[in-house]
């Protein structure tokens, strides 16, 4: 475990994770307008409307993403989600993000904890069930990424990340 101490509140993770996502998207999507924000307090559809983005699947559905990233270029809009946890991860945490991903189909989604991978460690590392991370349809299957958040470096512990980026 990279963190000898944990945060007191999940909120303490939001700004460092937003900063990391912003840099990650700037590096990966050059030429795109990048917007990242702490969106935990508001429904996704309302946040998107404020940014001039309409997503019919999100409208009226109670989805609250902790950190939202948007890469936009002309008519292309790519969404990125981070769900932050300060506790050991559970299948329930994965299921929450998976349902958001199945509904909205973001470009990428991250489930990150400042604690440990918890029960997901057994499922992903011992039983090799990376298929539990799948979302998307047809030929374009994507995988949610799961990782431990390193509080010292304010970035994901890449050694813990599954699948690797």
């Amino acid at each position: 475990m990279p963190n000898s101490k944990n945060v007191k509140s999940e909120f303490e993770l939001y700004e460092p994770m937003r900063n990391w996502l912003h840099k990650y998207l700037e590096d990966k999507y050059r030429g795109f307008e990048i917007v990242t924000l702490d969106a935990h307090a508001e429904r996704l559809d309302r946040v998107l409307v404020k940014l001039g983005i309409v997503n019919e699947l999100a409208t009226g559905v109670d989805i609250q993403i902790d950190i939202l990233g948007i890469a936009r270029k002309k008519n292309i809009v790519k969404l990125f989600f981070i769900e932050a946890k300060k506790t050991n991860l559970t299948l329930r945490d994965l299921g929450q993000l998976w349902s958001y991903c199945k509904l909205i189909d973001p470009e990428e989604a991250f489930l990150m904890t400042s604690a440990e991978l918890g029960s997901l460690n057994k499922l992903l590392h011992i039983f090799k069930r990376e298929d539990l991370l799948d979302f998307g349809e047809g030929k374009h299957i994507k995988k949610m990424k799961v990782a431990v958040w390193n509080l010292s470096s304010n970035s994901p512990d890449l050694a813990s990340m599954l699948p690797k980026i």
Side-chain angles (χ1 to χ4, degrees):
M1 178 178 162
N3 302 312
S4 58
K5 287 181 64 176
N6 202 349
V7 293
K8 290 181 181 170
S9 166
E10 191 176 289
F11 303 115
E12 296 173 53
L13 298 170
Y14 294 164
E15 186 60 18
M17 286 184 179
R18 189 200 63 75
N19 286 331
W20 172 81
L21 181 62
H22 198 91
K23 176 83 170 95
Y24 174 77
L25 295 179
E26 281 181 338
D27 290 347
K28 194 167 181 178
Y29 293 94
R30 296 188 187 280
F32 281 73
E33 173 194 3
I34 304 298
V35 176
T36 55
L37 57 142
D38 170 352
H40 83 276
E42 196 166 11
R43 282 189 0 202
L44 178 63
D45 59 337
R46 294 178 182 153
V47 174
L48 291 176
V49 165
K50 287 180 184 175
L51 298 169
I53 300 168
V54 176
N55 185 311
E56 292 297 332
L57 290 172
T59 303
V61 180
D62 189 17
I63 295 175
Q64 290 181 285
I65 301 297
D66 293 332
I67 306 299
L68 174 66
I70 299 166
R72 186 170 19 198
K73 186 177 190 180
K74 297 182 180 171
N75 293 334
I76 301 169
V77 175
K78 297 176 183 285
L79 301 178
F80 302 84
F81 298 164
I82 294 179
E83 275 300 310
K85 302 293 178 190
K86 68 171 221 127
T87 56
N88 289 347
L89 296 178
T90 66
L91 194 55
R92 182 180 177 170
D93 299 324
L94 186 67
Q96 176 191 14
L97 183 59
W98 179 82
S99 63
Y100 296 167
C101 290
K102 288 295 282 185
L103 190 59
I104 306 300
D105 196 25
E107 192 67 19
E108 293 182 67
F110 299 87
L111 175 61
M112 295 197 271
T113 179
S114 57
E116 296 185 21
L117 295 182
S119 62
L120 295 186
N121 186 49
K122 182 178 181 181
L123 295 171
L124 299 173
H125 286 103
I126 297 172
F127 292 122
K128 309 287 185 198
R129 293 295 311 266
E130 282 193 34
D131 61 305
L132 295 171
L133 305 175
D134 292 351
F135 69 98
E137 291 184 23
K139 294 180 179 177
H140 198 59
I141 299 297
K142 302 174 224 175
K143 288 193 179 289
M144 296 178 285
K145 294 161 186 77
V146 177
V148 172
W149 181 256
N150 186 318
L151 293 169
S152 299
S153 66
N154 280 325
S155 63
D157 174 23
L158 295 180
S160 73
M161 186 171 282
L162 269 180
K164 304 293 182 201
I165 56 172

